[in-house]
Amino acid sequence: MNEISLLSAFVMGLVGSGHCLVMCGGVASSLQLAAHSLKSWLVSVLYNLGRASSYMLAGSLVATLGGAFAKQNTTFALSLKFLSGVFMLLVGIYVMRLASSLKWLESIAKTMIWQHLVKLNKHLLPVKSYPRVLFYGMLWGWLPCGLVYSALTWTLQANSALHGALIMLFFALGTLPAMVVVGQSAQHLNRFLNHNLVRLAFGSIFIWYGIYLLIIATDRLVH
């Protein structure tokens, strides 16, 4: 594995799970109501499995694309490492709520990707079967989210398509507690993750990790 560890992806998903509740929580809740004739726990499992599958597919595709270009140009490969460091800094700033450093990325993704994919939603409604729940999760896994797309930039320098998929899998696993746990427990988890000291601690880790990646990339570019 390279500088972007699976643990980093997991922590990023965990810390950003409060954001996931805002972005995807309403979709998941609406799905539970629409699929009232199905077992709720299985609906939750399949929805999140579909969401994670989309993340992994995107991770493997981006890793393959990044790897193909990196093999052709060493400078480009080091530039990807530099880019990963930049996005690590942006994630740290976002987690610490110092600025909305990822909003621009969500806007770009919404215009280029989501406005076309969301049209497929009409083919999955009403959600009356488990396969449709799975595909529904796969579709909404492409919902524009700055944290998701930041994690995807890390897969640009992954060692392989499998590594890229694993990075996104661990990111998805980090988001699961907030997405699966319901009721009062979810409120307690969200309150903990949104505590100023917790955000400051995790945000600082991402920022220092980003600085480390930038130093490594710059040193290799110079030498």
Side-chain angles (χ1 to χ4, degrees):
M1 299 296 181
N2 54 19
E3 285 89 347
I4 299 297
S5 70
L6 300 182
L7 178 60
S8 298
F10 177 81
V11 172
M12 180 179 174
L14 180 62
V15 177
S17 58
H19 182 68
C20 290
L21 282 174
V22 176
M23 295 287 289
C24 302
V27 177
S29 298
S30 298
L31 177 61
Q32 290 285 358
L33 293 175
H36 60 86
S37 60
L38 306 177
K39 294 181 179 179
S40 60
W41 68 269
L42 190 51
V43 168
S44 179
V45 169
L46 290 174
Y47 170 78
N48 284 289
L49 180 60
R51 185 171 60 90
S53 297
S54 290
Y55 292 171
M56 293 176 67
L57 174 61
S60 63
L61 291 175
V62 172
T64 300
L65 181 63
F69 282 102
K71 289 180 180 178
Q72 303 297 323
N73 192 313
T74 304
T75 302
F76 180 79
L78 293 176
S79 298
L80 293 182
K81 293 182 182 295
F82 191 89
L83 180 65
S84 297
V86 170
F87 270 91
M88 193 76 78
L89 289 175
L90 292 177
V91 169
I93 293 172
Y94 177 86
V95 168
M96 295 172 74
R97 291 182 175 173
L98 297 178
S100 300
S101 53
L102 300 176
K103 288 294 184 181
W104 61 273
L105 191 57
E106 293 178 358
S107 298
I108 293 175
K110 182 178 180 179
T111 302
M112 297 182 63
I113 301 174
W114 183 241
Q115 69 174 2
H116 303 292
L117 288 179
V118 74
K119 296 176 183 178
L120 299 175
N121 193 52
K122 62 183 180 181
H123 299 295
L124 297 174
L125 298 175
V127 184
K128 294 183 178 181
S129 66
Y130 293 117
R132 285 200 175 197
V133 173
L134 178 64
F135 286 118
Y136 195 81
M138 293 176 67
L139 173 62
W140 284 86
W142 296 92
L143 181 70
C145 173
L147 287 174
V148 174
Y149 290 117
S150 294
L152 277 176
T153 64
W154 298 355
T155 67
L156 278 169
Q157 59 155 317
N159 296 328
S160 64
L162 176 60
H163 183 200
L166 286 175
I167 288 175
M168 296 309 296
L169 172 61
F170 273 72
F171 173 82
L173 290 175
T175 67
L176 277 182
M179 293 297 295
V180 173
V181 178
V182 295
Q184 193 65 27
S185 297
Q187 294 178 18
H188 286 312
L189 176 62
N190 195 30
R191 190 178 301 116
F192 169 75
L193 293 174
N194 282 286
H195 192 282
N196 289 335
L197 290 179
V198 173
R199 283 188 167 274
L200 181 63
F202 281 115
S204 299
I205 292 173
F206 282 119
I207 287 177
W208 283 111
Y209 199 2
I211 293 174
Y212 163 75
L213 291 178
L214 290 175
I215 292 174
I216 294 295
T218 302
D219 180 67
R220 292 179 182 176
L221 281 170
V222 172
H223 298 90

